[in-house]
Amino acid sequence: MAIINKPTALLLGGGGAKGAFQIGAWRALAEAGTLTDVRAVAGCSVGALNAVLFAIGDPEYARSVWQQIVPADLLARGSEGAFFSREGLIRMINQLPLERISTSGIRVYVSVHDTAENQPVFFELNGLSKDAIRTLLLASSAIPHIYAPERYLGREFMDGSVTPEGDLCIEPVYTQGHREILMISMKPQLTLYGSASTGSGNLKEKYPDCNFTLIKPMRTLGNLLTGTLNFTQDRITANLEQGYRDAKSQLGYGTGFPKNRAEVTVQITEKMQKLFPNAAMLSGFLNEFGRRFAPNVPFPTLGGNVFYDNIFEVDGWRLQQHRAVGMQIHYRFLDANNVRVAWVMQPQLLLDALTEYEAIQELRRK
């Protein structure tokens, strides 16, 4: 991934205790120099809390906040309308220097869900009172059936991650004019090209003028009980470290692979979308260039739903990228019957082949 050098928006999705992953990723991003141009940050649920911590601007302070959390703070028995109490989270928020948000050079947005209108709503925190900021942070993290909704400006709000739009937090920064977007999600299955399991749709198609960088876990952070509500320090520490490792891997440093690996993936996908409107043309390309990549025996697979992301698809044929840490350089082509028809462990080799194929097609058209 190239170093970001344009005004950038940072987006932080929800996930309860999994949010420590974002703090670990923050450390890796800071080391890589990718955060100096962030001018806006938007967060949903625990990502809203992390957005405030980011705007405060001290990663060590943010880490210490997470390392002081104990399960009793957030999982004490609740009362009317809540399975758990919010008292521990309120105490945590009250200890934050929220006055810095009003004077921060970074615009901060939180995502909440309007229960009456059944739609996401985004609020800017800059300029709001500490009480208003606290209320919106509580609303954004009010997981349905776990915590009670919060009232703000006469309306009832709960966790913004009820909808994919609310969890992604793209709209407020896009409306503000940001086109360089850095996302840290806690969902391994999230891709920029659409995912049925997340309902996010194809972000590259919906926002064609945006340059996205996605950081996400390379393995699951757990389910509702083992992940989202697991506020034990062992789990938080593990999430902090996984965020650091996974972000380093996806940025391409510390693994021995090129630093621009994520950028190469985007270029590959964009070229394939341009060059292959149908499976017949893709098959022709692989027949001509596939032997350059790696020796292949047609191999039936289960479709790769667990360990691979689909980064391109046409007529049932797919290009997939491996999710595992250190294995994102592994791409494979599957036909409509889930048979592996080609694979490559050198992304630049695939990009070079696509560039050559594109030039050949141009000559044939002349």
Side-chain angles (χ1 to χ4, degrees):
M1 185 183 72
I3 298 299
I4 297 170
N5 56 10
K6 298 179 181 179
T8 301
L10 173 64
L11 308 184
L12 304 172
K18 301 174 186 179
F21 176 91
Q22 294 173 337
I23 304 301
W26 177 1
R27 175 186 164 200
L29 290 162
E31 289 179 359
T34 60
L35 297 176
T36 57
D37 295 292
V38 171
R39 297 294 178 265
V41 56
C44 175
S45 193
V46 74
L49 173 64
N50 285 340
V52 167
L53 290 172
F54 182 84
I56 291 171
D58 186 341
E60 289 306 314
Y61 173 72
R63 187 180 181 93
S64 71
V65 168
W66 273 91
Q67 290 176 325
Q68 293 173 32
I69 295 174
V70 295
D73 286 339
L74 301 174
L75 302 180
R77 192 67 179 175
S79 55
E80 295 183 11
F83 194 80
F84 292 116
S85 167
R86 315 303 302 280
E87 293 304 315
L89 182 57
I90 291 172
R91 287 195 301 273
M92 184 193 312
I93 293 172
N94 285 341
Q95 293 172 4
L96 301 178
L98 297 179
E99 66 277 0
R100 296 191 193 177
I101 302 303
S102 294
T103 58
S104 174
I106 296 174
R107 299 176 73 170
V108 184
Y109 300 89
V110 299
S111 168
V112 296
H113 189 79
D114 188 318
T115 60
E117 299 295 330
N118 191 32
Q119 63 182 14
V121 181
F122 304 97
F123 288 96
E124 183 176 351
L125 299 187
N126 307 77
L128 298 183
S129 68
K130 292 182 68 172
D131 285 344
I133 293 174
R134 178 182 62 195
T135 299
L136 287 169
L137 290 177
L138 290 170
S140 186
S141 59
I143 302 171
H145 311 300
I146 302 295
Y147 298 116
E150 295 286 328
R151 293 192 67 82
Y152 181 68
L153 300 180
R155 297 153 69 188
E156 191 174 79
F157 297 107
M158 61 181 181
D159 193 327
S161 61
V162 169
T163 63
E165 295 80 9
D167 188 62
L168 292 172
C169 300
I170 296 174
E171 285 303 319
V173 299
Y174 186 84
T175 301
Q176 186 187 342
H178 284 284
R179 297 298 181 264
E180 295 286 334
I181 296 180
L182 172 59
M183 307 171 68
I184 308 178
S185 173
M186 272 84 80
K187 298 177 178 178
Q189 68 274 30
L190 180 66
T191 78
L192 300 179
Y193 305 96
S195 168
S197 58
T198 62
S200 58
N202 190 318
L203 300 180
K204 297 291 289 184
E205 290 183 354
K206 186 173 182 180
Y207 303 97
D209 54 342
C210 286
N211 179 30
F212 287 99
T213 299
L214 173 62
I215 303 295
K216 63 180 182 177
M218 292 295 99
R219 66 175 188 276
T220 180
L221 298 176
N223 58 27
L224 177 65
L225 295 178
T226 63
T228 305
L229 299 179
N230 188 354
F231 288 94
T232 63
Q233 272 303 309
D234 285 348
R235 176 44 32 194
I236 287 173
T237 298
N239 289 342
L240 285 166
E241 293 308 310
Q242 185 176 342
Y244 179 68
R245 291 194 308 270
D246 287 1
K248 284 183 66 173
S249 177
Q250 288 165 83
L251 289 168
Y253 71 97
T255 61
F257 298 128
K259 289 187 177 182
N260 66 344
R261 189 170 70 240
E263 188 175 84
V264 170
T265 297
V266 172
Q267 293 175 4
I268 287 171
T269 306
E270 290 176 345
K271 280 190 176 295
M272 293 193 65
Q273 289 173 335
K274 175 183 178 181
L275 295 172
F276 307 121
N278 55 62
M281 294 188 70
L282 176 56
S283 176
F285 165 77
L286 293 174
N287 286 336
E288 186 173 355
F289 289 88
R291 62 179 62 90
R292 295 187 185 182
F293 307 147
N296 180 70
V297 175
F299 181 79
T301 75
L302 296 178
N305 296 321
V306 177
F307 296 109
Y308 291 86
D309 287 324
N310 294 329
I311 62 172
F312 174 77
E313 183 171 0
V314 61
D315 299 338
W317 286 55
R318 282 151 291 153
L319 173 62
Q320 297 186 322
Q321 182 182 21
H322 208 291
R323 292 177 183 168
V325 175
M327 285 295 292
Q328 293 84 31
I329 56 167
H330 178 202
Y331 299 76
R332 68 179 187 179
F333 290 90
L334 303 185
D335 67 14
N337 296 314
N338 291 328
V339 173
R340 187 188 70 188
V341 292
W343 61 283
V344 60
M345 291 287 285
Q346 296 174 297
Q348 189 64 49
L349 194 62
L350 174 55
L351 183 58
D352 290 345
L354 290 168
T355 302
E356 181 178 343
Y357 176 82
E358 183 177 24
I360 292 171
Q361 298 306 307
E362 288 291 334
L363 288 173
R364 288 174 178 172
R365 282 193 287 268
K366 291 180 178 180

